């Protein structure tokens, strides 16, 4: 990310111990596009809608910036990454 790449990442939805996922209730893909100076990841969420992150299970784990960027600490993001064979893909622009 610091060298200009981006990450497409598969995240969980509801699962054992969680009534729903941070980014989705059923699991989907997000695009991690950078890092803030404080270490939080900058995320584009294709299913982001007004109020999505206002519910109690999500509210204190993310910050919304410019009405569409989701900022999230590493510890919360790592909890959400779906542990499939390939949970994420890295991309760089040539």
């Amino acid at each position: 990310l610091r060298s200009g790449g981006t990450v497409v990442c598969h995240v969980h939805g509801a699962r054992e111990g969680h009534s729903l996922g941070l980014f989705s209730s059923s699991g989907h893909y997000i695009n991690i596009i950078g890092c803030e100076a404080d270490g939080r990841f900058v995320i584009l969420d294709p299913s982001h809608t007004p109020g999505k992150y206002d519910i109690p299970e999500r509210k204190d784990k993310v910050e919304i910036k410019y009405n569409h960027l989701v900022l999230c600490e590493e510890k919360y993001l790592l909890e959400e990454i779906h542990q499939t064979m390939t949970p994420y893909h890295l991309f760089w622009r040539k």
Side-chain angles (χ1 to χ4, degrees):
L1 292 171
R2 289 189 175 96
S3 66
T6 184
V7 180
V8 173
C9 183
H10 189 238
V11 291
H12 284 288
R15 60 196 183 279
E16 187 175 331
H18 297 273
S19 59
L20 79 151
L22 178 57
F23 301 100
S24 172
S25 58
S26 60
H28 79 120
Y29 290 89
I30 58 173
N31 189 355
I32 306 167
I33 61 170
C35 290
E36 292 282 276
D38 64 5
R40 291 181 297 169
F41 289 99
V42 181
I43 299 166
L44 293 174
D45 179 356
S47 72
H48 183 208
T49 56
K52 176 179 179 176
Y53 293 102
D54 292 339
I55 62 175
E57 296 88 349
R58 295 175 174 156
K59 187 173 181 133
D60 296 327
K61 295 182 178 180
V62 301
E63 176 187 346
I64 305 302
K65 194 171 185 179
Y66 309 121
N67 294 321
H68 69 281
L69 297 177
V70 180
L71 306 181
C72 181
E73 291 180 37
E74 180 180 16
K75 66 181 179 180
Y76 297 125
L77 180 61
L78 291 177
E79 289 175 2
E80 297 300 313
I81 294 174
H82 198 287
Q83 297 303 316
T84 59
M85 291 290 288
T86 308
Y88 53 85
H89 299 275
L90 307 174
F91 297 90
W92 284 269
R93 193 172 188 184
K94 286 188 176 188

